[in-house]
Amino acid sequence: MLRVSRAGSVVVSRRWFASGASFDVVSPVDGTTVVSTVRADDDVSVAMKFVSASQAQKNGVWSSIRWEDRAARIRDFAERVRDDAGEIASIITAETGKPATQSRMEVNASARRVSDLVAMCDRARARMESNSVRASSGSVTEKVTHEPVGVVAHVSAWNYPAFLAVNVLVPALLAGNSVLHKPSEYSPGVSERLRTLLLQSDVPSEVFQVCQGGADVGKALVRLQGLGAVAFTGSRVVGTEVATVAARSHTRTVLELGGVDAAYVRPDVADVARAAASIASGAFHNAGQGCCAVERVYVHRDVYDSFVDAFVAEARKYRAGDPALATTNLGPLTSRGAVERVAAHVDDAVRAGAHVLYRGEAPTQGGGYFHPVVVVGGDALRGSQRQRMITADETFGPVAAVVPVHDDEEAIEAMNDSSYGLTASVYTADGAVAESILHRLDVGTGYWNACNHPSTNLPWTGRYGSGGGSGGCTLGEEGYASFTRPKALYIRSRA
């Protein structure tokens, strides 16, 4: 058992199961070592875990169990996550610096997500079975069955280590697959805890295994020959590499590569202040470290001034500090070099003629905090979106650019002017207009009077640089199907 040093006011401990070299987990709060000498995997141990997972698939250790029994074990897992929420949340806060209140929210949401995914996957399975017979005439029946894809490699991210893990492991396991899960080296502890809870729920040890380490371990995992699917959450650059490697062995990919998500506030919005509060939450929650965080805000000129005033008022409510304190709602940026990247995005916008309307305060110790920033400047940001870092590249920090527009057409053009396509939001009192605009936006998910809300019931998928065309997705019935493969059966009862 490893004792974990202090990060904020949080102290946690747990056991590690990997082997090989080692690495440290450093707190973004104050730069201290949170966990020392985490045992990392290497090519050999990754291969050995793959062999055991493959053997489990071959022997039907998990896949031959009735679907209802698999579901019962995953429901038990959900209860264990709920009961263990305090421990898991303390791990998240210690490793990532996420405020303790938000870490607890993530774990509670993850437990609910597991339960909801079981129900949703059951509906997806029932729909598949009800549509299995495609034609029947005389002695011939044509039908489709759905089988597990096999071993799923999941390379995950640090910003929501519990939530992102269950989004993949639950549908993959329910479909009868085995999972090799690699968490980020910035947040390795949650996955080990989830594995323990799965074991306690009688999920066989070979069926969910954790591979610890950095990029080299992720590469070793993705390079494995014989994988059924690779699920990846992370940057577009790395995601492109993952897709390239997977394509060599014709392995299915499920990619979620983030975005530069946009929101549009129409002049008929019912409550400008409420819209500002919603969008501010989408921009600044988790210090803007979310794949669907709102980074671009287009506001009709008729309500622009009132919106900006309300939006800045909301930004002022985000307070950085000790993540253990209940009053802290803005944590540090977790990944190394993030502060410099986010600052570069803001500086680039200012050089282009934009103006920093609001810059909040943030602690200077540890070097991981970045103050919330609201950037404004119509012509400086609108006319050269593809050239400005803040509107062209994923910032992944507590920064939002607010740009005035004259009408719906200008807003639609600006929102689509991106090499990403994850989500987009429209704030308006007119539902018909909202749906009309959303249908014209080239994104995977559209929101009316909401943002930053991946739903269990809807497929989570992007377009273009957000992972479009990868062949799979998470969430929704489509997400469950991503971890199955169809088999066509042509049956003749008489030879």
Side-chain angles (χ1 to χ4, degrees):
M1 190 72 68
L2 293 173
R3 291 297 300 170
V4 180
S5 62
R6 188 168 297 273
S9 305
V10 182
V11 178
V12 295
S13 61
R14 58 250 184 220
R15 184 181 301 277
W16 302 98
F17 299 90
S19 62
S22 64
F23 61 95
D24 295 341
V25 180
V26 177
S27 168
V29 175
D30 55 15
T32 60
T33 299
V34 177
V35 184
S36 59
T37 60
V38 178
R39 299 294 300 276
D41 282 277
D42 54 26
D43 288 3
V44 174
S45 61
V46 168
M48 291 175 63
K49 290 178 178 181
F50 175 64
V51 168
S52 66
S54 299
Q55 196 64 40
Q57 289 300 118
K58 181 178 180 180
N59 296 337
V61 169
W62 178 249
S63 58
S64 65
I65 296 175
R66 291 191 325 128
W67 199 96
E68 292 78 6
D69 293 336
R70 293 200 298 268
R73 298 186 195 190
I74 300 301
R75 289 192 191 96
D76 182 76
F77 168 64
E79 291 301 317
R80 293 180 186 276
V81 171
R82 189 172 291 108
D83 293 342
D84 202 42
E87 170 71 6
I88 299 173
S90 66
I91 296 172
I92 294 173
T93 295
E95 294 182 342
T96 69
K98 181 177 294 186
T101 53
Q102 295 179 14
S103 294
R104 190 63 181 254
M105 288 170 56
E106 178 186 346
V107 181
N108 290 338
S110 298
R112 291 194 301 271
R113 173 59 57 88
V114 174
S115 299
D116 292 345
L117 279 170
V118 173
M120 186 279 301
C121 290
D122 192 22
R123 294 194 301 271
R125 177 186 65 96
R127 195 183 304 274
M128 289 176 178
E129 291 181 354
S130 67
N131 191 40
S132 61
V133 176
R134 303 301 172 82
S136 181
S137 178
S139 62
V140 174
T141 298
E142 298 173 78
K143 63 187 299 185
V144 176
T145 62
H146 289 82
E147 301 175 347
V149 297
V151 179
V152 176
H154 181 208
V155 180
S156 195
W158 46 261
N159 53 324
Y160 289 95
F163 208 56
L164 294 174
V166 300
N167 282 346
V168 170
L169 76 87
V170 171
L173 292 179
L174 285 173
N177 301 287
S178 295
V179 177
L180 298 180
H181 175 78
K182 194 203 91 65
S184 167
E185 63 272 31
Y186 296 131
S187 57
V190 171
S191 299
E192 299 291 356
R193 190 63 193 151
L194 295 180
R195 172 176 159 80
T196 297
L197 299 181
L198 284 166
L199 291 172
Q200 292 173 357
S201 299
D202 292 329
V203 174
S205 60
E206 312 97 309
V207 170
F208 181 82
Q209 300 181 69
V210 179
C211 299
Q212 296 285 9
D216 56 336
V217 176
K219 290 177 181 177
L221 194 56
V222 174
R223 284 197 303 260
L224 290 168
Q225 298 295 306
L227 290 171
V230 174
F232 173 80
T233 301
S235 71
R236 177 167 60 179
V237 172
V238 178
T240 301
E241 294 178 5
V242 169
T244 300
V245 173
R248 294 176 187 143
S249 56
H250 306 286
T251 302
R252 179 182 301 177
T253 55
V254 179
L255 304 178
E256 200 277 88
L257 309 181
V260 187
D261 293 3
Y264 170 42
V265 181
R266 296 189 77 243
D268 68 342
V269 64
D271 188 329
V272 171
R274 186 172 180 177
S278 173
I279 296 171
S281 176
F284 302 126
H285 183 78
N286 199 28
Q289 299 170 119
C291 55
C292 55
V294 177
E295 300 189 8
R296 297 177 292 146
V297 187
Y298 301 99
V299 184
H300 195 281
R301 290 186 180 275
D302 290 353
V303 292
Y304 178 78
D305 290 339
S306 58
F307 175 86
V308 168
D309 289 343
F311 191 68
V312 169
E314 291 296 326
R316 294 183 187 278
K317 296 178 182 179
Y318 286 84
R319 299 178 178 87
D322 184 342
L325 299 178
T327 55
T328 298
N329 58 2
L330 188 75
L333 302 181
T334 300
S335 63
R336 298 185 185 101
V339 171
E340 291 78 8
R341 182 193 67 248
V342 176
H345 281 210
V346 175
D347 292 344
D348 177 69
V350 171
R351 284 194 300 270
H355 172 61
V356 174
L357 184 63
Y358 172 72
R359 187 189 299 269
E361 298 180 355
T364 56
Q365 74 271 19
Y369 286 92
F370 195 89
H371 33 251
V373 170
V374 178
V375 178
V376 297
D379 294 338
L381 297 175
R382 173 67 186 91
S384 56
Q385 286 193 156
R386 299 280 183 137
Q387 286 73 48
R388 299 278 70 79
M389 292 179 178
I390 201 169
T391 51
D393 302 324
E394 189 173 40
T395 300
F396 224 64
V399 176
V402 185
V403 182
V405 293
H406 289 91
D407 53 32
D408 292 350
E409 291 303 315
E410 184 179 358
I412 293 169
E413 180 184 2
M415 296 171 85
N416 281 333
D417 186 16
S418 175
S419 59
Y420 290 90
L422 190 57
T423 78
S425 307
V426 176
Y427 288 77
T428 175
D430 192 325
V433 170
E435 285 207 42
S436 174
I437 293 174
L438 291 173
H439 280 301
R440 295 176 60 187
L441 297 178
D442 215 354
V443 294
T445 298
Y447 297 108
W448 174 30
N449 292 340
C451 63
N452 200 358
H453 183 77
S455 169
T456 305
N457 300 308
L458 298 173
W460 190 243
T461 180
R463 299 181 180 182
Y464 309 112
S466 295
S470 64
C473 64
T474 58
L475 306 181
E477 294 184 16
E478 295 82 356
Y480 177 75
S482 293
F483 299 106
T484 70
R485 53 185 176 183
K487 174 173 284 185
L489 298 176
Y490 184 92
I491 302 170
R492 188 187 297 274
S493 59
R494 295 193 301 271

